[in-house]
Amino acid sequence: MIELRSDTFTLPTARMRAAMADAEVGNDVYGEDPTVRRLEERAAELLGAEAACLTPTGTMANLCAILSWIPRGGKLLCGDESDIYLHEAGGASVCGSAVYAPVPTGADGSLSIGDLAAALPEDPDDPEFAPAALICLENTHNRRGGRPLGPGYLAGVAGFAREHGLPVHLDGARLFNAAVSLGVAPAELARHADSAQFCLSKGLGAPVGSVLTGSAAFIRRARRVRKMLGGGMRQSGVVAAAGLVALAEWPRLAEDHAHAARLAAGLAGLPGVELDPAAVRTNIVIFRLTGTAPGHERFIALMRDRGVALAELGRGRLRAVTHAGVSTADVDRAVAAAAAVLDEAAARGTASGAVAR
Ligand SMILES: *Cc1c(COP(=O)(O)O)cnc(C)c1O
């Protein structure tokens, strides 16, 4: 199966498995796992932060950040298409008693300063308003096709946040993809946020884990929240070892981006596919089907029959994600499979005299 549903399907490489087998470990809840410490130090260094904390998942890293920043009843300003708002089971309000203030998401994944300002309480001193407490940004933006947010935009939001005394958390599940795409160091993106998290388990290819970064004081608070949420993992050097390999090999993500561009160009050339290849900047390709093409659920099933797994993103959108497990030949096979499925559907449509709608 050519697995394009997600970059979370990557399998640990031989180097990762060897590093995991040989990892020196200890009890990380006591701060005594040397491999976890090395991973946290390396991650902090790469993101230009004082400290870092390994978590089991990106969802938990985001929740640790939110609960560390927001007092009960505080407002969380986040994108209405963000992972934090849509795909994390409402954790900020369930566990943190925070109030979500969803802000319209731009086509490039950005939140405009005007919309952020409109989400602030009109009169911060009026006791009837929930106080704004945190701004969350997503980089790259998953539901906006992996678009990266650049340092200029991030600096603008940081300035706005400072003006209003608000911290900024960066959900950088794919922060290294953003850095590779923009040709900047990850620290150049993370430095405009007060905390950031990235996933080791997506394009970076490790089997498990995310890392949360920030100031030493912030990470001390986050470690307490992590323990409360059940994320204190003991001999987690076994997974940190794979993460360290991932952090040595991240420039490899450029290959995934080239594969996504190739896939986008191939799909965009097919009749019945609606896709703007210029919008594909990292490893995510989002497209729609039109005309005589089968419905998206049928299309996914027919592609699966031909050995290609795609994901549905809701509202008729389809998602294909490239990663280390997808080769150039796989991309070409996926495009050929889509061409064949669409060809057959068009032929059937003509034969039955169906009107394209
Ligand atoms: C995957 C993802 C997360 C959550 O990470 P998990 O490790 O799956 O919990 C958070 N934010 C974004 C943008 C993601 O793509």
Side-chain angles (χ1 to χ4, degrees), residues 285-309:
V285 179
I286 291 180
F287 60 100
R288 290 174 188 279
L289 299 170
T290 58
T292 55
H296 57 276
E297 278 172 19
R298 179 94 186 112
F299 182 76
I300 287 174
L302 292 169
M303 287 293 281
R304 196 165 246 290
D305 291 345
R306 289 176 180 270
V308 181

Side-chain angles (χ1 to χ4, degrees), residues 314-342:
R315 302 196 181 100
R317 291 181 298 173
L318 295 155
R319 188 182 79 158
V321 188
T322 57
H323 52 76
V326 178
S327 66
T328 309
D330 289 338
V331 168
D332 293 344
R333 275 194 288 270
V335 173
V341 166
L342 293 170

